[in-house]
Amino acid sequence: MSNEQIIWDQALIEKYNYSGPRYTSYPTALEFHQGFTEAEFDSACAQYPDRKLSLYVHIPFCHKLCYYCGCNKIITRHQHKADQYLDVLEQEIRQRGKTMGQRQVSQLHWGGGTPTFLTKPQVTRLMSILREQFTFDADAEISIEVDPREIELDMLDHLRSEGFNRLSIGVQDFNKEVQKLVNREQDEEFIFAMVQRAKELGFRSTNLDLIYGLPKQNQALFADTLKQVLEMKPGRLSVFNYAHMPSLFAAQRKIKDEDLPAAKEKLAMLQDTIATLTGEGYQFIGMDHFALPEDELAVAQREGILHRNFQGYTTQGDCDLLGFGVSAISMIGDCYAQNQKELKAYYADVNDHNHALWKGVGLDADDLLRREVIKALICNFQLDKKAIEAEFNLDFDSYFAEDLELLQTFINDELVTVSDELIFVELKGRLLIRNICMCFDKYLRDRARQQQFSRVI
């Protein structure tokens, strides 16, 4: 496999370096509304009864506050709060199990917060509830996010005995000064021991999360972190860009603006990261993700069958996604739905109604079409126009005339090639895939028009 998976064009990256959606869904969460009803959700649950299920469980608790974090979390040292949460979570799971329990489960993911905030008995309790209500495939993918600071090594043995076979470990950075400035000091020797123990226990793969753009980071220091990470040879790596938005996330106000690396330094870190990882044989999956060539994600991308949902890139795209817990998002039938985001509201709704549906959106025919277009581009870097025409019974160039006009600037800059059969994202366009997908986002266009209209008035 060629190491050249990305061509870095500094001028074009700077030209198109503006914000945009990550497209873990289309339409994005901005379109969710509180008019979405439980009846609509129930109807969606019955829409594709033969689909397998992917389950997501949100555990919101953390022992310590990481200053960079924008996740929905609750900082506490009180373990009994998890017992109270599991009581309500059990009620929600059992209620959904009444209507969805006959479906096979091929995937389960615990996210947070910090799922390993739970003790071993609490982990066992939650897995027992899930297995009582749902039937898991023998080879189901069962994954969990792990904070290496607040866990004993034998927790991995317990997780493995409960059926977990994938780990995602938050590393972020190995530099001690950086760790201190984001309130996430950790022991790298323990992380090495965790990765080794996971291999010994037979976990299918381990993902390590890194973040570039944190205070006091620079190209040389981040290269040192990458060097240490590569010694562990994880199956997958997620290398996220730190988005500093202190007006949205109060914890980020503890990070001083003057400590953050300049935009040019951040780009240098990213460029170096891509060159290093692809040079070591990792496949660039898209945006922040890398995987070894034999990993399921990498194989699926090469075969053109990779998918994307609220959990990121996945091989389980033909499933309905059912979310449990505070703020959890479901992707059921032709709709998206999100639970209450505040813990008190989540508790109250589950206790009063046996569910915590907060808001959502139903997808119309145009949404479903555009979702397929965006998913193909963001996952596989190419789109078969003829396949879309056959599936949706339309003339691609006519239907997407306005979208293709917007795409023209990327074509002119040789980031995208368009033929009668194919839209192909060139190697130097792949880092800008979000921008390219934005051309097909009708809601983004409508919002821009509204903003323009408001300015004129």
Side-chain angles (χ1 to χ4, degrees):
M1 184 176 175
S2 168
N3 283 342
E4 189 174 54
Q5 302 171 47
I6 297 289
I7 293 176
W8 186 278
D9 189 312
Q10 185 80 15
L12 288 175
I13 287 168
E14 290 177 2
K15 174 181 177 179
Y16 291 107
N17 192 17
Y18 47 81
S19 60
R22 298 184 61 79
Y23 293 115
T24 50
S25 73
Y26 180 87
T28 70
L30 288 173
E31 308 311 322
F32 293 7
H33 58 86
Q34 293 184 43
F36 185 80
T37 66
E38 175 70 2
E40 289 177 270
F41 185 85
D42 288 342
S43 177
C45 288
Q47 197 170 358
Y48 303 111
D50 296 329
R51 277 188 187 171
K52 290 191 176 184
L53 285 179
S54 172
L55 304 180
Y56 172 75
V57 181
H58 190 79
I59 307 296
F61 305 107
C62 296
H63 289 109
K64 294 178 181 176
L65 177 67
C66 301
Y67 296 160
Y68 57 78
C69 183
C71 298
N72 188 30
K73 74 278 182 187
I74 295 157
I75 310 303
T76 182
R77 281 285 180 190
H78 301 295
Q79 203 65 41
H80 72 273
K81 290 192 175 182
D83 288 318
Q84 180 188 4
Y85 185 73
L86 290 179
D87 288 343
V88 182
L89 192 60
E90 178 175 356
Q91 191 175 341
E92 184 192 11
I93 292 169
R94 290 193 186 283
Q95 184 64 26
R96 293 294 182 214
K98 289 177 184 178
T99 54
M100 306 285 279
Q102 77 284 1
R103 299 231 214 147
Q104 288 288 123
V105 174
S106 61
Q107 185 180 48
L108 167 66
H109 180 73
W110 291 12
T114 304
T116 49
F117 179 94
L118 300 185
T119 61
K120 291 174 188 173
Q122 288 168 338
V123 168
T124 296
R125 177 188 174 189
L126 181 50
M127 280 303 297
S128 297
I129 295 164
L130 289 164
R131 290 192 186 278
E132 280 174 24
Q133 296 301 310
F134 297 96
T135 304
F136 285 73
D137 286 351
D139 63 345
E141 177 184 302
I142 304 179
S143 58
I144 186 170
E145 297 168 14
V146 176
D147 183 343
R149 296 170 302 167
E150 301 281 343
I151 186 174
E152 297 296 329
L153 200 57
D154 68 351
M155 176 58 100
L156 296 191
D157 299 65
H158 186 72
L159 291 172
R160 190 73 191 92
S161 71
E162 288 293 347
F164 286 90
N165 49 37
R166 291 187 183 276
L167 293 178
S168 184
I169 303 174
V171 173
Q172 321 319 353
D173 195 298
F174 277 128
N175 182 271
K176 292 301 177 189
E177 184 182 15
V178 174
Q179 290 177 6
K180 191 170 184 180
L181 287 170
V182 297
N183 200 37
R184 193 184 173 92
E185 295 177 75
Q186 54 199 13
D187 179 0
E188 59 261 35
E189 287 184 13
F190 183 71
I191 294 171
F192 272 75
M194 283 186 73
V195 173
Q196 181 58 35
R197 187 70 185 138
K199 288 177 182 175
E200 292 167 0
L201 289 167
F203 279 84
R204 281 191 212 168
S205 80
T206 299
N207 175 82
L208 299 185
D209 285 343
L210 302 177
I211 299 178
Y212 69 96
L214 294 175
K216 296 296 182 181
Q217 279 181 335
N218 59 41
Q219 187 178 0
L221 291 177
F222 200 64
D224 288 340
T225 287
L226 281 177
K227 185 178 178 183
Q228 288 177 271
V229 163
L230 285 168
E231 289 177 32
M232 292 181 269
K233 203 72 174 177
R236 299 176 186 177
L237 272 164
S238 303
V239 189
F240 297 107
N241 165 33
Y242 170 60
H244 189 57
M245 295 184 286
S247 60
L248 283 180
F249 306 113
Q252 294 187 357
R253 295 169 201 158
K254 295 180 181 291
I255 294 175
K256 296 177 181 176
D257 288 1
E258 59 266 28
D259 286 341
L260 294 171
K264 187 175 181 181
E265 188 72 24
K266 280 183 76 172
L267 279 179
M269 280 188 261
L270 177 60
Q271 183 177 12
D272 189 47
T273 296
I274 292 168
T276 300
L277 294 180
T278 54
E280 288 291 326
Y282 282 84
Q283 184 171 319
F284 177 74
I285 301 298
M287 294 191 293
D288 327 286
H289 292 75
F290 301 82
L292 290 173
E294 63 271 19
D295 186 273
E296 290 173 11
L297 286 185
V299 173
Q301 186 177 58
R302 292 198 300 275
E303 293 178 353
I305 55 172
L306 188 64
H307 294 269
R308 187 162 171 78
N309 61 23
F310 294 102
Q311 296 172 30
Y313 290 102
T314 177
T315 58
Q316 306 271 338
D318 295 326
C319 300
D320 273 344
L321 172 63
L322 183 58
F324 294 112
V326 63
S327 78
I329 296 177
S330 298
M331 189 171 79
I332 297 283
D334 294 338
C335 84
Y336 303 123
Q338 184 171 20
N339 278 351
Q340 288 284 357
K341 213 170 182 178
E342 300 297 327
L343 192 61
K344 285 183 180 178
Y346 169 75
Y347 283 166
D349 275 12
V350 174
N351 286 325
D352 292 345
H353 311 295
N354 285 323
H355 70 82
L357 182 66
W358 174 38
K359 58 182 182 178
V361 64
L363 278 61
D364 63 22
D366 181 73
D367 294 330
L368 296 170
L369 166 60
R370 291 176 183 276
R371 180 170 74 176
E372 283 303 303
V373 168
I374 288 171
K375 185 177 75 173
L377 290 170
I378 208 163
C379 291
N380 304 311
F381 299 123
Q382 61 181 17
L383 170 74
D384 184 336
K385 291 163 66 176
K386 297 302 178 187
I388 293 289
E389 288 181 335
E391 183 177 353
F392 292 93
N393 192 27
L394 52 81
D395 179 83
F396 190 96
D397 289 353
S398 298
Y399 192 97
F400 289 105
E402 186 177 356
D403 312 83
L404 292 169
E405 277 185 36
L406 293 171
L407 195 64
Q408 191 60 48
T409 179
F410 297 95
I411 298 169
N412 295 344
D413 284 332
E414 299 178 344
L415 301 171
V416 176
T417 302
V418 179
S419 67
D420 289 340
E421 291 82 27
L422 200 66
I423 297 177
F424 183 79
V425 182
E426 301 290 345
L427 294 184
K428 66 178 181 179
R430 296 189 177 185
L431 277 177
L432 300 165
I433 188 61
R434 287 161 70 181
N435 310 67
I436 292 163
C437 289
M438 285 163 69
C439 296
F440 294 92
D441 187 335
K442 182 184 67 177
Y443 294 96
L444 203 63
R445 274 205 297 281
D446 291 345
R447 284 175 182 275
R449 286 178 182 136
Q450 288 165 12
Q451 288 167 1
Q452 186 180 17
F453 183 71
S454 297
R455 285 198 298 270
V456 170
I457 294 299

